[in-house]
């Protein structure tokens, strides 16, 4: 009654997904989404170069 089953069982391999065929409408939506993501990345890069948003200088504590 000895077996070599110990630890986690290996997950079953998933079959590879078939490539989907897209029509013109789907391709337009995919391209639009990619363009929006690219624009967001550019905006994030610009914002990170400028530094902090506040620009108020030194922060004051509430104590006097």
């Amino acid at each position: 009654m000895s077996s070599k089953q110990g630890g986690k069982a290996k997950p079953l391999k998933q079959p590879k997904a078939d490539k989907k065929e897209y029509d013109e409408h789907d391709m337009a939506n995919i391209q639009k989404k990619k363009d929006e993501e690219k624009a967001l990345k550019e905006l994030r890069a610009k914002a990170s170069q400028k530094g902090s948003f506040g620009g108020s200088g030194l922060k004051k504590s509430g104590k006097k």
Side-chain angles (χ1 to χ4, degrees), residues 20-36:
K20 295 181 182 178
E21 293 187 23
Y22 300 109
D23 61 357
E24 293 176 16
H25 183 69
D26 292 334
M27 290 300 287
N29 285 339
I30 292 170
Q31 187 64 34
K32 183 179 176 185
K33 190 181 247 187
K34 284 183 182 180
D35 291 341
E36 288 175 358

